[in-house]
Amino acid sequence: METTALSANYLLGGAINGTILALVASLLSRHLREIIGRVLLAVVLVAAGGFYVGFALTAGAGPGWVALELAQAGILAAFAVLGLRRSPYWLAAGWALHPFWDIPLHLWGPGHAFAPEAYAVSCLTYDWVVALYVVIAYTATGATRFQRRPVKMPAHQRRLQHHPTH
């Protein structure tokens, strides 16, 4: 297969896998609790950065590379924590920015020596699909988009709550 066809396949695979992650996060958020879907997105974001640490260690890329990859994994972890504790838009930012690490350093740059091309290329669409999901899912509605509608209590039970008998 040509390099262009491989890249197209990697991009398509990344988009499909990113869509699957977004779908699972959405289902968890809607049917369990909103934070569970967000935790999944945060954990996978940290893992995405951690893979590069693993690639560098496995290839024996040297302590400088490992330190550099640990630094980017730490930055992604900071985005993940902020996405959990503050705003989900921090998660979107982490996902959207990650390819700016992948592509220049690991596809075109010296990190290509140890990072698989498939991973670097597919991360572009994977990460941006997930970032887009976070932005769309939380825009204007916040977390309430995922919450189930409250069940309305019957009138006689509401009256009992307001006027308890001792």
Side-chain angles (χ1 to χ4, degrees):
M1 223 185 244
E2 290 181 25
T3 302
T4 328
L6 278 175
S7 292
N9 284 341
Y10 298 153
L11 290 170
L12 179 61
I16 290 169
N17 290 328
T19 302
I20 292 169
L21 176 62
L23 179 63
V24 171
S26 176
L27 290 172
L28 289 171
S29 292
R30 181 175 286 284
H31 295 292
L32 296 177
R33 289 181 41 217
E34 180 275 331
I35 193 67
I36 295 174
R38 209 179 329 169
V39 165
L40 174 65
L41 295 172
V43 167
V44 176
L45 177 60
V46 172
F51 276 113
Y52 286 109
V53 176
F55 296 149
L57 285 169
T58 303
W65 270 110
V66 172
L68 189 63
E69 298 298 351
L70 280 169
Q72 73 82 34
I75 291 167
L76 291 178
F79 277 105
V81 169
L82 288 168
L84 291 173
R85 296 193 178 273
R86 304 277 183 205
S87 166
Y89 294 114
W90 285 105
L91 283 172
W95 282 109
L97 292 173
H98 185 232
F100 291 103
W101 179 264
D102 295 339
I103 301 299
L105 193 61
H106 298 105
L107 183 63
W108 302 326
H112 184 71
F114 61 84
E117 179 182 354
Y119 189 82
V121 173
S122 64
C123 274
L124 178 66
T125 51
Y126 183 97
D127 294 4
W128 285 353
V129 164
V130 175
L132 183 63
Y133 158 73
V134 173
V135 169
I136 290 171
Y138 289 93
T139 297
T141 59
T144 58
R145 172 185 188 95
F146 299 111
Q147 293 174 352
R148 295 182 189 189
R149 296 185 189 277
V151 177
K152 201 166 191 177
M153 191 182 306
H156 72 279
Q157 286 180 342
R158 284 194 307 262
R159 282 191 297 267
L160 289 175
Q161 271 189 331
H162 295 296
H163 304 293
T165 55
H166 298 294

